[in-house]
Amino acid sequence: MGGIKVRKFDENYSLIRVFHAVPGGDTVDIYINDRLFYKGLSFTQFTSYIYVPKGKYTLIVYGEDTIDNPILSQEVEVNNDELIT
């Protein structure tokens, strides 16, 4: 097909990303399982998708450049073969 590359989805994993949907909200840093996932996410921005295996993940959102007083801390359960935003 005219130069279009099709990437096969691996059903043993899921794809996840984060969307900043808080109007007027501060720029944030996103941590997954205590590891920095994305720095400086602003309103209306999406992170890139990442592949993750099935499991429970802790998502923590902090104001940019801080790790005090999380804005959000939530456990997310991911199954195989999902597309999650």
Side-chain angles (χ1 to χ4, degrees):
M1 286 180 110
I4 296 175
K5 293 182 181 181
V6 177
R7 184 171 184 173
K8 180 169 174 14
F9 183 74
D10 185 339
E11 62 277 346
N12 294 314
Y13 291 84
S14 285
L15 284 167
I16 64 169
R17 69 177 176 177
V18 177
F19 172 55
H20 188 321
V22 180
D26 293 335
T27 302
V28 297
D29 296 337
I30 311 296
Y31 286 76
I32 298 176
N33 290 350
D34 294 323
R35 296 185 68 187
L36 181 62
F37 168 59
Y38 195 92
K39 182 169 179 35
L41 190 67
S42 298
F43 175 57
T44 72
Q45 287 185 319
F46 289 90
T47 66
S48 299
Y49 279 107
I50 59 168
Y51 279 98
V52 295
K54 179 180 178 178
K56 291 183 181 179
Y57 295 87
T58 302
L59 173 73
I60 303 176
V61 179
Y62 293 103
E64 187 175 26
D65 296 326
T66 182
I67 54 170
D68 295 323
N69 302 317
I71 296 167
L72 172 75
S73 180
Q74 182 173 349
E75 190 170 275
V76 178
E77 181 137 5
V78 176
N79 295 304
N80 288 338
D81 200 23
E82 294 182 326
L83 189 63
I84 302 170
T85 298

